[in-house]
Each structure stands twice: as C-alpha cells, then as structure tokens.
C-alpha cells in the first residue's frame, strides 16, 4: 500500500518519491549513499509498470532493513 500511494502521486519526481518512502517507512530522510543507491535502482525502471515495481521494491527493502531489527 505504501508503494502504491507513493507511485500514484504523479507530482513527485524520482528523488521526491525516494525521500517520501524513507520518511514514511523509517521516519527519516535517506543518507547520501542510500539516496544514490535508490536513484540508481530507479534508473533501471524504464516504464510506468517498472516504476511501480521499483517503488515497491524500495519500500520492501526499507521495511527489511536493520532499523527494524533488535535483539532481546
């Protein structure tokens, strides 16, 4: 759902979508290295369908990142 909402906003460019994904999922903006990696990932998306897949993949990876892992 998060990816769909971000992809549906036609007023956002690639970098804005990346920033929104990080803010929504992690509550922070991407660090420079994260931003560059995400931009490269999006550059491989050449059409609207792949753009949706790219944002879904980014959101999925953000929810799987170390920010959500902890040890008891």
């Amino acid at each position: 759902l998060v990816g769909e909402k971000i992809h549906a906003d036609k007023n956002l460019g690639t970098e804005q979508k990346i920033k929104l994904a990080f803010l929504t999922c992690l509550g922070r903006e991407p660090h420079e290295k994260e931003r560059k990696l995400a931009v490269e990932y999006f550059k491989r998306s050449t059409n609207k369908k792949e753009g949706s897949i790219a944002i879904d993949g980014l959101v999925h990876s953000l929810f799987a990142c170390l920010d959500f892992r902890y040890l008891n």
Side-chain angles (χ1 to χ4, degrees), residues 10-57:
K10 304 300 181 197
N11 295 321
L12 298 177
T14 299
E15 297 218 17
Q16 292 170 313
K17 288 181 180 187
I18 291 167
K19 182 178 176 180
L20 182 56
F22 270 81
L23 287 170
T24 302
C25 298
L26 303 179
R28 65 171 176 83
E29 293 186 15
H31 300 295
E32 185 63 21
K33 186 175 180 179
E34 294 169 328
R35 187 193 61 76
K36 286 180 181 179
L37 286 170
V39 168
E40 284 301 314
Y41 179 68
F42 270 79
K43 282 183 181 178
R44 290 184 263 154
S45 304
T46 55
N47 63 43
K48 291 182 182 181
K49 179 65 176 166
E50 288 177 353
S52 175
I53 292 169
I55 193 66
D56 287 343

